[in-house]
Amino acid sequence: MGHNGALAYVLDFKRISHTWARGVPGVTYCRDIGEIHDALVRLAQEGRRRLALAEDLADDVLEKEPWRVGPRIVILLEEVNATMAQLKRYWAKIRESGDSKMSPAVEALAEILFMGRQVRLHVLLVAQSATAQAVGGPAMRENSSTRILVLLVGTGTGKRAVLRRPGRRRPAVRCRW
């Protein structure tokens, strides 16, 4: 279990990004694209269940007692660019005639990004380049509220913003150590 009973899902198509999380109680680690697909679909179902439960509660209960809809669930989607492409390919392979052409896992992720926060479903997307196309569209990318940039390359400008560790300060007075 995480802090205050929180649960976590690590969706890691690369398979080796967060090995520290394997075997941690309360953490579900999904590596195969089929596992990731199924986890996203289940998480969207959980989100819909929580929304229905919140609707049945009195208007101010969710604000005062958020735990009533369930424990916080943090979803870490590692290497979103590759994973989203793989989810689309996976769905194209397994879908049957009459099924939607859009991957249910991609739709589920969109649903969680758009409506999950209020019912304690939080998504952390990790990407080298989180383009709108890679993430599933501009609206999905914009619903990722926090961005941590290690290297930002401005499109077409050639300018870079680099996050660097601060250098060691030099003493004002030289002294022997």
Side-chain angles (χ1 to χ4, degrees):
M1 277 292 168
H3 183 69
N4 290 331
L7 303 173
Y9 281 75
V10 177
L11 310 179
D12 183 14
F13 179 67
K14 221 172 7 176
R15 307 175 79 85
I16 58 170
S17 299
H18 300 281
T19 55
W20 60 268
R22 294 182 191 167
V24 173
V27 175
T28 302
Y29 200 106
C30 302
R31 297 174 197 85
D32 295 324
I33 201 64
E35 287 178 315
I36 294 169
H37 176 274
D38 294 345
L40 284 168
V41 170
R42 279 194 314 275
L43 287 163
Q45 291 168 343
E46 174 63 12
R48 287 190 293 275
R49 186 197 67 78
R50 289 175 178 217
L51 286 167
L53 180 60
E55 182 181 27
D56 292 341
L57 295 172
D59 290 340
D60 61 341
V61 171
L62 190 59
E63 186 176 316
K64 293 177 184 174
E65 302 171 0
W67 53 266
R68 297 267 305 261
V69 295
R72 181 176 313 281
I73 298 176
V74 177
I75 304 154
L76 174 61
L77 182 55
E78 177 63 47
E79 196 46 67
V80 69
N81 302 36
T83 305
M84 293 296 277
Q86 289 297 322
L87 284 169
K88 291 173 186 174
R89 282 190 206 107
Y90 176 76
W91 181 244
K93 257 192 249 180
I94 68 163
R95 82 179 188 92
E96 297 174 4
S97 66
D99 286 342
S100 170
K101 287 189 177 188
M102 172 70 92
S103 163
V106 173
E107 288 176 344
L109 178 60
E111 201 172 303
I112 296 165
L113 284 169
F114 295 143
M115 299 184 294
R117 183 188 52 80
Q118 196 165 7
V119 290
R120 307 181 82 197
L121 295 175
H122 305 279
V123 180
L124 303 171
L125 299 175
V126 178
Q128 291 180 29
S129 174
T131 63
Q133 180 183 5
V135 176
M140 284 176 68
R141 182 178 63 182
E142 293 307 313
N143 270 294
S144 304
S145 60
T146 302
R147 295 183 184 156
I148 300 169
L149 305 172
V150 175
L151 176 64
L152 171 67
V153 179
T155 307
T157 64
K159 296 180 182 179
R160 294 182 185 192
V162 180
L163 178 66
R164 294 187 180 157
R165 186 176 354 162
R168 197 173 137 194
R169 287 186 163 206
R170 295 184 183 176
V173 178
R174 287 186 179 228
C175 51
R176 284 197 286 187
W177 299 98

